[in-house]
Amino acid sequence: ATIVFPPQTWTNSINQANKTALRVWMKETGTDLVQVNGQRRYGGPPPGWVGKPPPAGTEVFIGKLPQDIYENMLIPLFQSVGKLYEFRLMMTFSGLNRGFAYAKYSNHRGAKEAIAAFNNFEVQLGYTIVVCKSTEKHELCVDGLATSVGKQELEAVLRQVTEGFLSITLYASPCRNWAQLAVLKYSSHQAAAMAKKTLTEGNMKLSGLEIRVNWLNPDLKQKLQLLEEKPSSSQVQEGRRLGVPKPVPASPVLHNVLDQLNSLCQRLYLGTPLYLTKCIQVNPNGWLRFWCRVIIPGCPMPFSGFTWVRPGRPGRSGHEEAKVVVALQILQVLGESLWGISANPCLSQSLGASPGSLELW
């Protein structure tokens, strides 16, 4: 027979001596520790603190900690080189620490002194710790959002389930079909870390789609700067085209495709298509990569994606070429016969796109 102990009894039995020493220290020093979402925190602010929180660059990362060491040993050690504003120890379910912590000082000098004094410091026999400057990331990347989800809706959800939320920027997802990517900015690294934990562990879904939450890395941030923010529903309703230069008059062949989509939408009572295009990349061979979005009022979701095109004859813009590729795709989705257009000998020259050049549709 197998005997299963209650979880509380099991966790209390682990490292009991050191836990007892921690409780005695807390009582003797009057130190308060608050455990929330897998981390135990002192301060933030500490007792008697007056004024604003310390600026960025005052936090250090502490790694390679022995798992049976607690704040009664760590806080006095790191306070010895400067005044602590906050100390956060990451905890496991069993009551051991997870091997790392963060110490935030009242000024930059305290953080520098901690790194100089305690990096490669032997905190216990055989345990040398790592202490370095914390990156203090403030931005998260959330990919896989439904294209029907609006900025205001997301803001309302994030303010409800996370703390320290500042802003959100929406982009067309560069990795997933029919999806949006959001960049979330938070007031501090701690707020962003807690938001990441909440959104990840909660298996958060919006409009039926499961999302992926990660730290925003510099490479992706640079790529996203090439993409414009998605237009809000109010801007779409007002018919404004964001980031689209004044279109050059299209050739009759171009009008053939665009007019066919427009006629089909009218026959189906879907309204007039609205095109949004933005050139985000030019390669040495003259090919242009466009982000495209088409809003058809009667369709529940807009059509979004990327495509490569090559400019046609002088006087015809790459934006017009991209619109044609998009229009052909939408005609196929809506079930319109393309026989009459594909029979046109000028079509391949008009489109300027090679087979397989369309992405993420």
PDB file of all heavy atoms in Angstrom, residues 214-249:
ATOM      1  N   ASN A 214       6.388  36.075 -24.307  1.00  0.00           N
ATOM      2  CA  ASN A 214       7.840  36.043 -24.115  1.00  0.00           C
ATOM      3  C   ASN A 214       8.340  37.450 -23.830  1.00  0.00           C
ATOM      4  O   ASN A 214       7.630  38.442 -24.054  1.00  0.00           O
ATOM      5  CB  ASN A 214       8.543  35.508 -25.377  1.00  0.00           C
ATOM      6  CG  ASN A 214       8.233  34.045 -25.646  1.00  0.00           C
ATOM      7  OD1 ASN A 214       8.621  33.168 -24.894  1.00  0.00           O
ATOM      8  ND2 ASN A 214       7.505  33.787 -26.723  1.00  0.00           N
ATOM      9  N   TRP A 215       9.582  37.526 -23.370  1.00  0.00           N
ATOM     10  CA  TRP A 215      10.225  38.833 -23.279  1.00  0.00           C
ATOM     11  C   TRP A 215      10.474  39.357 -24.691  1.00  0.00           C
ATOM     12  O   TRP A 215      10.772  38.579 -25.595  1.00  0.00           O
ATOM     13  CB  TRP A 215      11.557  38.734 -22.536  1.00  0.00           C
ATOM     14  CG  TRP A 215      11.425  38.417 -21.082  1.00  0.00           C
ATOM     15  CD1 TRP A 215      11.700  37.234 -20.464  1.00  0.00           C
ATOM     16  CD2 TRP A 215      10.962  39.301 -20.052  1.00  0.00           C
ATOM     17  NE1 TRP A 215      11.441  37.317 -19.118  1.00  0.00           N
ATOM     18  CE2 TRP A 215      10.988  38.574 -18.828  1.00  0.00           C
ATOM     19  CE3 TRP A 215      10.531  40.631 -20.020  1.00  0.00           C
ATOM     20  CZ2 TRP A 215      10.608  39.134 -17.615  1.00  0.00           C
ATOM     21  CZ3 TRP A 215      10.144  41.182 -18.814  1.00  0.00           C
ATOM     22  CH2 TRP A 215      10.183  40.444 -17.635  1.00  0.00           C
ATOM     23  N   LEU A 216      10.353  40.655 -24.875  1.00  0.00           N
ATOM     24  CA  LEU A 216      10.609  41.248 -26.185  1.00  0.00           C
ATOM     25  C   LEU A 216      12.114  41.349 -26.391  1.00  0.00           C
ATOM     26  O   LEU A 216      12.802  42.085 -25.680  1.00  0.00           O
ATOM     27  CB  LEU A 216       9.976  42.638 -26.261  1.00  0.00           C
ATOM     28  CG  LEU A 216      10.176  43.401 -27.581  1.00  0.00           C
ATOM     29  CD1 LEU A 216       9.514  42.658 -28.738  1.00  0.00           C
ATOM     30  CD2 LEU A 216       9.640  44.817 -27.475  1.00  0.00           C
ATOM     31  N   ASN A 217      12.643  40.589 -27.365  1.00  0.00           N
ATOM     32  CA  ASN A 217      14.083  40.636 -27.599  1.00  0.00           C
ATOM     33  C   ASN A 217      14.440  41.757 -28.569  1.00  0.00           C
ATOM     34  O   ASN A 217      13.601  42.198 -29.367  1.00  0.00           O
ATOM     35  CB  ASN A 217      14.602  39.280 -28.103  1.00  0.00           C
ATOM     36  CG  ASN A 217      14.050  38.913 -29.464  1.00  0.00           C
ATOM     37  OD1 ASN A 217      14.277  39.614 -30.452  1.00  0.00           O
ATOM     38  ND2 ASN A 217      13.321  37.805 -29.544  1.00  0.00           N
ATOM     39  N   PRO A 218      15.678  42.254 -28.529  1.00  0.00           N
ATOM     40  CA  PRO A 218      16.071  43.409 -29.351  1.00  0.00           C
ATOM     41  C   PRO A 218      15.887  43.197 -30.848  1.00  0.00           C
ATOM     42  O   PRO A 218      15.514  44.122 -31.564  1.00  0.00           O
ATOM     43  CB  PRO A 218      17.549  43.606 -28.991  1.00  0.00           C
ATOM     44  CG  PRO A 218      17.694  42.998 -27.628  1.00  0.00           C
ATOM     45  CD  PRO A 218      16.744  41.828 -27.613  1.00  0.00           C
ATOM     46  N   ASP A 219      16.173  41.970 -31.343  1.00  0.00           N
ATOM     47  CA  ASP A 219      16.041  41.718 -32.782  1.00  0.00           C
ATOM     48  C   ASP A 219      14.596  41.863 -33.242  1.00  0.00           C
ATOM     49  O   ASP A 219      14.323  42.505 -34.266  1.00  0.00           O
ATOM     50  CB  ASP A 219      16.551  40.311 -33.121  1.00  0.00           C
ATOM     51  CG  ASP A 219      18.058  40.200 -32.964  1.00  0.00           C
ATOM     52  OD1 ASP A 219      18.724  41.254 -32.990  1.00  0.00           O
ATOM     53  OD2 ASP A 219      18.560  39.073 -32.820  1.00  0.00           O
ATOM     54  N   LEU A 220      13.667  41.280 -32.478  1.00  0.00           N
ATOM     55  CA  LEU A 220      12.266  41.391 -32.848  1.00  0.00           C
ATOM     56  C   LEU A 220      11.796  42.831 -32.730  1.00  0.00           C
ATOM     57  O   LEU A 220      11.021  43.307 -33.572  1.00  0.00           O
ATOM     58  CB  LEU A 220      11.415  40.478 -31.962  1.00  0.00           C
ATOM     59  CG  LEU A 220       9.900  40.515 -32.207  1.00  0.00           C
ATOM     60  CD1 LEU A 220       9.581  40.137 -33.649  1.00  0.00           C
ATOM     61  CD2 LEU A 220       9.170  39.589 -31.239  1.00  0.00           C
ATOM     62  N   LYS A 221      12.258  43.529 -31.707  1.00  0.00           N
ATOM     63  CA  LYS A 221      11.863  44.929 -31.534  1.00  0.00           C
ATOM     64  C   LYS A 221      12.278  45.767 -32.734  1.00  0.00           C
ATOM     65  O   LYS A 221      11.520  46.621 -33.213  1.00  0.00           O
ATOM     66  CB  LYS A 221      12.486  45.492 -30.255  1.00  0.00           C
ATOM     67  CG  LYS A 221      12.020  46.895 -29.911  1.00  0.00           C
ATOM     68  CD  LYS A 221      12.542  47.321 -28.551  1.00  0.00           C
ATOM     69  CE  LYS A 221      12.000  48.695 -28.166  1.00  0.00           C
ATOM     70  NZ  LYS A 221      12.453  49.100 -26.806  1.00  0.00           N
ATOM     71  N   GLN A 222      13.471  45.502 -33.259  1.00  0.00           N
ATOM     72  CA  GLN A 222      13.950  46.241 -34.422  1.00  0.00           C
ATOM     73  C   GLN A 222      13.100  45.930 -35.657  1.00  0.00           C
ATOM     74  O   GLN A 222      12.772  46.826 -36.441  1.00  0.00           O
ATOM     75  CB  GLN A 222      15.411  45.905 -34.683  1.00  0.00           C
ATOM     76  CG  GLN A 222      16.045  46.734 -35.791  1.00  0.00           C
ATOM     77  CD  GLN A 222      17.529  46.453 -35.927  1.00  0.00           C
ATOM     78  OE1 GLN A 222      18.054  45.515 -35.333  1.00  0.00           O
ATOM     79  NE2 GLN A 222      18.212  47.267 -36.711  1.00  0.00           N
ATOM     80  N   LYS A 223      12.728  44.651 -35.810  1.00  0.00           N
ATOM     81  CA  LYS A 223      11.902  44.275 -36.961  1.00  0.00           C
ATOM     82  C   LYS A 223      10.518  44.917 -36.875  1.00  0.00           C
ATOM     83  O   LYS A 223       9.962  45.360 -37.880  1.00  0.00           O
ATOM     84  CB  LYS A 223      11.760  42.758 -37.028  1.00  0.00           C
ATOM     85  CG  LYS A 223      13.050  42.034 -37.397  1.00  0.00           C
ATOM     86  CD  LYS A 223      12.859  40.524 -37.389  1.00  0.00           C
ATOM     87  CE  LYS A 223      14.155  39.800 -37.710  1.00  0.00           C
ATOM     88  NZ  LYS A 223      13.992  38.322 -37.670  1.00  0.00           N
ATOM     89  N   LEU A 224       9.970  44.964 -35.675  1.00  0.00           N
ATOM     90  CA  LEU A 224       8.631  45.518 -35.510  1.00  0.00           C
ATOM     91  C   LEU A 224       8.588  47.017 -35.771  1.00  0.00           C
ATOM     92  O   LEU A 224       7.535  47.563 -36.104  1.00  0.00           O
ATOM     93  CB  LEU A 224       8.110  45.224 -34.102  1.00  0.00           C
ATOM     94  CG  LEU A 224       7.814  43.759 -33.788  1.00  0.00           C
ATOM     95  CD1 LEU A 224       7.414  43.601 -32.329  1.00  0.00           C
ATOM     96  CD2 LEU A 224       6.722  43.212 -34.697  1.00  0.00           C
ATOM     97  N   GLN A 225       9.725  47.667 -35.626  1.00  0.00           N
ATOM     98  CA  GLN A 225       9.758  49.098 -35.903  1.00  0.00           C
ATOM     99  C   GLN A 225       9.488  49.395 -37.373  1.00  0.00           C
ATOM    100  O   GLN A 225       9.156  50.523 -37.744  1.00  0.00           O
ATOM    101  CB  GLN A 225      11.109  49.672 -35.479  1.00  0.00           C
ATOM    102  CG  GLN A 225      11.273  49.755 -33.966  1.00  0.00           C
ATOM    103  CD  GLN A 225      12.660  50.198 -33.540  1.00  0.00           C
ATOM    104  OE1 GLN A 225      13.582  50.280 -34.358  1.00  0.00           O
ATOM    105  NE2 GLN A 225      12.824  50.474 -32.261  1.00  0.00           N
ATOM    106  N   LEU A 226       9.654  48.362 -38.218  1.00  0.00           N
ATOM    107  CA  LEU A 226       9.357  48.518 -39.640  1.00  0.00           C
ATOM    108  C   LEU A 226       7.868  48.412 -39.939  1.00  0.00           C
ATOM    109  O   LEU A 226       7.423  48.758 -41.030  1.00  0.00           O
ATOM    110  CB  LEU A 226      10.111  47.463 -40.456  1.00  0.00           C
ATOM    111  CG  LEU A 226      11.639  47.522 -40.376  1.00  0.00           C
ATOM    112  CD1 LEU A 226      12.245  46.322 -41.085  1.00  0.00           C
ATOM    113  CD2 LEU A 226      12.142  48.817 -40.983  1.00  0.00           C
ATOM    114  N   LEU A 227       7.136  47.876 -38.977  1.00  0.00           N
ATOM    115  CA  LEU A 227       5.703  47.684 -39.174  1.00  0.00           C
ATOM    116  C   LEU A 227       4.936  48.783 -38.458  1.00  0.00           C
ATOM    117  O   LEU A 227       5.300  49.182 -37.355  1.00  0.00           O
ATOM    118  CB  LEU A 227       5.259  46.323 -38.623  1.00  0.00           C
ATOM    119  CG  LEU A 227       5.894  45.091 -39.266  1.00  0.00           C
ATOM    120  CD1 LEU A 227       5.472  43.850 -38.511  1.00  0.00           C
ATOM    121  CD2 LEU A 227       5.490  44.998 -40.719  1.00  0.00           C
ATOM    122  N   GLU A 228       3.887  49.264 -39.062  1.00  0.00           N
ATOM    123  CA  GLU A 228       3.080  50.290 -38.412  1.00  0.00           C
ATOM    124  C   GLU A 228       2.090  49.654 -37.458  1.00  0.00           C
ATOM    125  O   GLU A 228       1.753  48.477 -37.575  1.00  0.00           O
ATOM    126  CB  GLU A 228       2.316  51.110 -39.451  1.00  0.00           C
ATOM    127  CG  GLU A 228       1.277  50.310 -40.217  1.00  0.00           C
ATOM    128  CD  GLU A 228       0.580  51.140 -41.264  1.00  0.00           C
ATOM    129  OE1 GLU A 228       0.802  52.346 -41.308  1.00  0.00           O
ATOM    130  OE2 GLU A 228      -0.192  50.562 -42.038  1.00  0.00           O
ATOM    131  N   GLU A 229       1.613  50.438 -36.498  1.00  0.00           N
ATOM    132  CA  GLU A 229       0.604  49.965 -35.559  1.00  0.00           C
ATOM    133  C   GLU A 229      -0.681  49.685 -36.305  1.00  0.00           C
ATOM    134  O   GLU A 229      -1.061  50.417 -37.213  1.00  0.00           O
ATOM    135  CB  GLU A 229       0.355  51.000 -34.473  1.00  0.00           C
ATOM    136  CG  GLU A 229      -0.618  50.518 -33.413  1.00  0.00           C
ATOM    137  CD  GLU A 229      -0.777  51.528 -32.300  1.00  0.00           C
ATOM    138  OE1 GLU A 229      -0.084  52.550 -32.324  1.00  0.00           O
ATOM    139  OE2 GLU A 229      -1.627  51.278 -31.426  1.00  0.00           O
ATOM    140  N   LYS A 230      -1.364  48.596 -35.919  1.00  0.00           N
ATOM    141  CA  LYS A 230      -2.605  48.241 -36.572  1.00  0.00           C
ATOM    142  C   LYS A 230      -3.629  49.347 -36.400  1.00  0.00           C
ATOM    143  O   LYS A 230      -3.744  49.944 -35.337  1.00  0.00           O
ATOM    144  CB  LYS A 230      -3.194  46.957 -35.960  1.00  0.00           C
ATOM    145  CG  LYS A 230      -2.447  45.708 -36.341  1.00  0.00           C
ATOM    146  CD  LYS A 230      -2.475  45.469 -37.817  1.00  0.00           C
ATOM    147  CE  LYS A 230      -1.914  44.124 -38.192  1.00  0.00           C
ATOM    148  NZ  LYS A 230      -2.773  43.019 -37.937  1.00  0.00           N
ATOM    149  N   PRO A 231      -4.434  49.683 -37.452  1.00  0.00           N
ATOM    150  CA  PRO A 231      -5.446  50.721 -37.322  1.00  0.00           C
ATOM    151  C   PRO A 231      -6.561  50.295 -36.395  1.00  0.00           C
ATOM    152  O   PRO A 231      -6.945  49.137 -36.353  1.00  0.00           O
ATOM    153  CB  PRO A 231      -5.969  50.860 -38.764  1.00  0.00           C
ATOM    154  CG  PRO A 231      -5.662  49.557 -39.408  1.00  0.00           C
ATOM    155  CD  PRO A 231      -4.387  49.072 -38.770  1.00  0.00           C
ATOM    156  N   SER A 232      -7.051  51.244 -35.612  1.00  0.00           N
ATOM    157  CA  SER A 232      -8.172  50.945 -34.718  1.00  0.00           C
ATOM    158  C   SER A 232      -9.458  50.853 -35.510  1.00  0.00           C
ATOM    159  O   SER A 232      -9.551  51.314 -36.641  1.00  0.00           O
ATOM    160  CB  SER A 232      -8.307  52.046 -33.654  1.00  0.00           C
ATOM    161  OG  SER A 232      -8.707  53.254 -34.260  1.00  0.00           O
ATOM    162  N   SER A 233     -10.498  50.254 -34.879  1.00  0.00           N
ATOM    163  CA  SER A 233     -11.764  50.083 -35.570  1.00  0.00           C
ATOM    164  C   SER A 233     -12.365  51.424 -35.942  1.00  0.00           C
ATOM    165  O   SER A 233     -12.992  51.586 -36.981  1.00  0.00           O
ATOM    166  CB  SER A 233     -12.732  49.299 -34.679  1.00  0.00           C
ATOM    167  OG  SER A 233     -12.914  49.962 -33.448  1.00  0.00           O
ATOM    168  N   SER A 234     -12.158  52.456 -35.107  1.00  0.00           N
ATOM    169  CA  SER A 234     -12.722  53.764 -35.415  1.00  0.00           C
ATOM    170  C   SER A 234     -12.062  54.357 -36.646  1.00  0.00           C
ATOM    171  O   SER A 234     -12.700  55.002 -37.474  1.00  0.00           O
ATOM    172  CB  SER A 234     -12.546  54.709 -34.224  1.00  0.00           C
ATOM    173  OG  SER A 234     -11.166  54.884 -33.932  1.00  0.00           O
ATOM    174  N   GLN A 235     -10.737  54.134 -36.807  1.00  0.00           N
ATOM    175  CA  GLN A 235     -10.051  54.642 -37.977  1.00  0.00           C
ATOM    176  C   GLN A 235     -10.512  53.924 -39.230  1.00  0.00           C
ATOM    177  O   GLN A 235     -10.627  54.523 -40.292  1.00  0.00           O
ATOM    178  CB  GLN A 235      -8.546  54.471 -37.794  1.00  0.00           C
ATOM    179  CG  GLN A 235      -7.983  55.401 -36.718  1.00  0.00           C
ATOM    180  CD  GLN A 235      -6.563  55.070 -36.371  1.00  0.00           C
ATOM    181  OE1 GLN A 235      -6.161  53.905 -36.417  1.00  0.00           O
ATOM    182  NE2 GLN A 235      -5.784  56.065 -36.010  1.00  0.00           N
ATOM    183  N   VAL A 236     -10.788  52.616 -39.120  1.00  0.00           N
ATOM    184  CA  VAL A 236     -11.283  51.871 -40.271  1.00  0.00           C
ATOM    185  C   VAL A 236     -12.657  52.388 -40.684  1.00  0.00           C
ATOM    186  O   VAL A 236     -12.948  52.592 -41.855  1.00  0.00           O
ATOM    187  CB  VAL A 236     -11.360  50.368 -39.937  1.00  0.00           C
ATOM    188  CG1 VAL A 236     -12.073  49.622 -41.048  1.00  0.00           C
ATOM    189  CG2 VAL A 236      -9.959  49.806 -39.754  1.00  0.00           C
ATOM    190  N   GLN A 237     -13.512  52.637 -39.704  1.00  0.00           N
ATOM    191  CA  GLN A 237     -14.856  53.099 -40.003  1.00  0.00           C
ATOM    192  C   GLN A 237     -14.825  54.469 -40.665  1.00  0.00           C
ATOM    193  O   GLN A 237     -15.663  54.800 -41.499  1.00  0.00           O
ATOM    194  CB  GLN A 237     -15.673  53.154 -38.712  1.00  0.00           C
ATOM    195  CG  GLN A 237     -15.991  51.773 -38.154  1.00  0.00           C
ATOM    196  CD  GLN A 237     -16.556  51.851 -36.757  1.00  0.00           C
ATOM    197  OE1 GLN A 237     -16.740  52.927 -36.212  1.00  0.00           O
ATOM    198  NE2 GLN A 237     -16.829  50.700 -36.167  1.00  0.00           N
ATOM    199  N   GLU A 238     -13.827  55.296 -40.291  1.00  0.00           N
ATOM    200  CA  GLU A 238     -13.736  56.616 -40.882  1.00  0.00           C
ATOM    201  C   GLU A 238     -13.062  56.590 -42.244  1.00  0.00           C
ATOM    202  O   GLU A 238     -12.973  57.609 -42.928  1.00  0.00           O
ATOM    203  CB  GLU A 238     -12.951  57.535 -39.941  1.00  0.00           C
ATOM    204  CG  GLU A 238     -13.690  57.821 -38.640  1.00  0.00           C
ATOM    205  CD  GLU A 238     -12.806  58.516 -37.621  1.00  0.00           C
ATOM    206  OE1 GLU A 238     -11.696  58.913 -38.002  1.00  0.00           O
ATOM    207  OE2 GLU A 238     -13.229  58.649 -36.469  1.00  0.00           O
ATOM    208  N   GLY A 239     -12.578  55.395 -42.653  1.00  0.00           N
ATOM    209  CA  GLY A 239     -12.033  55.231 -43.993  1.00  0.00           C
ATOM    210  C   GLY A 239     -10.639  55.795 -44.176  1.00  0.00           C
ATOM    211  O   GLY A 239     -10.218  56.051 -45.290  1.00  0.00           O
ATOM    212  N   ARG A 240      -9.875  56.021 -43.091  1.00  0.00           N
ATOM    213  CA  ARG A 240      -8.535  56.553 -43.227  1.00  0.00           C
ATOM    214  C   ARG A 240      -7.574  55.424 -43.539  1.00  0.00           C
ATOM    215  O   ARG A 240      -7.651  54.357 -42.944  1.00  0.00           O
ATOM    216  CB  ARG A 240      -8.107  57.264 -41.945  1.00  0.00           C
ATOM    217  CG  ARG A 240      -8.919  58.504 -41.673  1.00  0.00           C
ATOM    218  CD  ARG A 240      -8.151  59.412 -40.736  1.00  0.00           C
ATOM    219  NE  ARG A 240      -8.020  58.811 -39.410  1.00  0.00           N
ATOM    220  CZ  ARG A 240      -8.807  59.123 -38.404  1.00  0.00           C
ATOM    221  NH1 ARG A 240      -9.787  59.983 -38.566  1.00  0.00           N
ATOM    222  NH2 ARG A 240      -8.637  58.565 -37.215  1.00  0.00           N
ATOM    223  N   ARG A 241      -6.615  55.662 -44.412  1.00  0.00           N
ATOM    224  CA  ARG A 241      -5.597  54.685 -44.748  1.00  0.00           C
ATOM    225  C   ARG A 241      -4.295  55.137 -44.102  1.00  0.00           C
ATOM    226  O   ARG A 241      -3.715  56.124 -44.521  1.00  0.00           O
ATOM    227  CB  ARG A 241      -5.419  54.566 -46.260  1.00  0.00           C
ATOM    228  CG  ARG A 241      -6.685  54.163 -46.991  1.00  0.00           C
ATOM    229  CD  ARG A 241      -6.401  53.945 -48.459  1.00  0.00           C
ATOM    230  NE  ARG A 241      -7.608  53.601 -49.189  1.00  0.00           N
ATOM    231  CZ  ARG A 241      -7.612  53.165 -50.428  1.00  0.00           C
ATOM    232  NH1 ARG A 241      -6.491  53.032 -51.070  1.00  0.00           N
ATOM    233  NH2 ARG A 241      -8.745  52.869 -51.039  1.00  0.00           N
ATOM    234  N   LEU A 242      -3.824  54.384 -43.112  1.00  0.00           N
ATOM    235  CA  LEU A 242      -2.633  54.791 -42.385  1.00  0.00           C
ATOM    236  C   LEU A 242      -1.389  54.315 -43.113  1.00  0.00           C
ATOM    237  O   LEU A 242      -1.254  53.155 -43.454  1.00  0.00           O
ATOM    238  CB  LEU A 242      -2.663  54.204 -40.974  1.00  0.00           C
ATOM    239  CG  LEU A 242      -3.870  54.586 -40.139  1.00  0.00           C
ATOM    240  CD1 LEU A 242      -3.718  53.995 -38.750  1.00  0.00           C
ATOM    241  CD2 LEU A 242      -4.017  56.086 -40.052  1.00  0.00           C
ATOM    242  N   GLY A 243      -0.434  55.207 -43.304  1.00  0.00           N
ATOM    243  CA  GLY A 243       0.853  54.833 -43.849  1.00  0.00           C
ATOM    244  C   GLY A 243       0.841  54.476 -45.322  1.00  0.00           C
ATOM    245  O   GLY A 243       1.752  53.858 -45.804  1.00  0.00           O
ATOM    246  N   VAL A 244      -0.190  54.848 -46.084  1.00  0.00           N
ATOM    247  CA  VAL A 244      -0.288  54.512 -47.497  1.00  0.00           C
ATOM    248  C   VAL A 244      -0.090  55.763 -48.325  1.00  0.00           C
ATOM    249  O   VAL A 244      -0.847  56.728 -48.200  1.00  0.00           O
ATOM    250  CB  VAL A 244      -1.664  53.910 -47.841  1.00  0.00           C
ATOM    251  CG1 VAL A 244      -1.699  53.480 -49.293  1.00  0.00           C
ATOM    252  CG2 VAL A 244      -1.940  52.724 -46.942  1.00  0.00           C
ATOM    253  N   PRO A 245       0.942  55.830 -49.179  1.00  0.00           N
ATOM    254  CA  PRO A 245       1.118  57.000 -50.032  1.00  0.00           C
ATOM    255  C   PRO A 245      -0.050  57.159 -50.987  1.00  0.00           C
ATOM    256  O   PRO A 245      -0.795  56.217 -51.239  1.00  0.00           O
ATOM    257  CB  PRO A 245       2.402  56.679 -50.807  1.00  0.00           C
ATOM    258  CG  PRO A 245       3.068  55.592 -50.044  1.00  0.00           C
ATOM    259  CD  PRO A 245       1.984  54.840 -49.364  1.00  0.00           C
ATOM    260  N   LYS A 246      -0.194  58.349 -51.515  1.00  0.00           N
ATOM    261  CA  LYS A 246      -1.246  58.592 -52.493  1.00  0.00           C
ATOM    262  C   LYS A 246      -1.056  57.660 -53.673  1.00  0.00           C
ATOM    263  O   LYS A 246       0.005  57.627 -54.297  1.00  0.00           O
ATOM    264  CB  LYS A 246      -1.190  60.046 -52.957  1.00  0.00           C
ATOM    265  CG  LYS A 246      -2.331  60.419 -53.887  1.00  0.00           C
ATOM    266  CD  LYS A 246      -2.256  61.885 -54.247  1.00  0.00           C
ATOM    267  CE  LYS A 246      -3.402  62.264 -55.179  1.00  0.00           C
ATOM    268  NZ  LYS A 246      -3.341  63.688 -55.549  1.00  0.00           N
ATOM    269  N   PRO A 247      -2.054  56.812 -53.999  1.00  0.00           N
ATOM    270  CA  PRO A 247      -1.861  55.790 -55.031  1.00  0.00           C
ATOM    271  C   PRO A 247      -1.673  56.378 -56.420  1.00  0.00           C
ATOM    272  O   PRO A 247      -2.290  57.381 -56.764  1.00  0.00           O
ATOM    273  CB  PRO A 247      -3.160  54.960 -54.954  1.00  0.00           C
ATOM    274  CG  PRO A 247      -4.160  55.880 -54.353  1.00  0.00           C
ATOM    275  CD  PRO A 247      -3.405  56.779 -53.420  1.00  0.00           C
ATOM    276  N   VAL A 248      -0.794  55.713 -57.181  1.00  0.00           N
ATOM    277  CA  VAL A 248      -0.601  56.082 -58.575  1.00  0.00           C
ATOM    278  C   VAL A 248      -1.707  55.439 -59.401  1.00  0.00           C
ATOM    279  O   VAL A 248      -2.096  54.301 -59.134  1.00  0.00           O
ATOM    280  CB  VAL A 248       0.777  55.571 -59.059  1.00  0.00           C
ATOM    281  CG1 VAL A 248       0.995  55.891 -60.531  1.00  0.00           C
ATOM    282  CG2 VAL A 248       1.876  56.181 -58.199  1.00  0.00           C
ATOM    283  N   PRO A 249      -2.279  56.138 -60.391  1.00  0.00           N
ATOM    284  CA  PRO A 249      -3.351  55.536 -61.202  1.00  0.00           C
ATOM    285  C   PRO A 249      -2.915  54.193 -61.770  1.00  0.00           C
ATOM    286  O   PRO A 249      -1.836  54.048 -62.341  1.00  0.00           O
ATOM    287  CB  PRO A 249      -3.552  56.567 -62.324  1.00  0.00           C
ATOM    288  CG  PRO A 249      -3.098  57.855 -61.727  1.00  0.00           C
ATOM    289  CD  PRO A 249      -1.985  57.519 -60.795  1.00  0.00           C
TER     290      PRO A 249
END
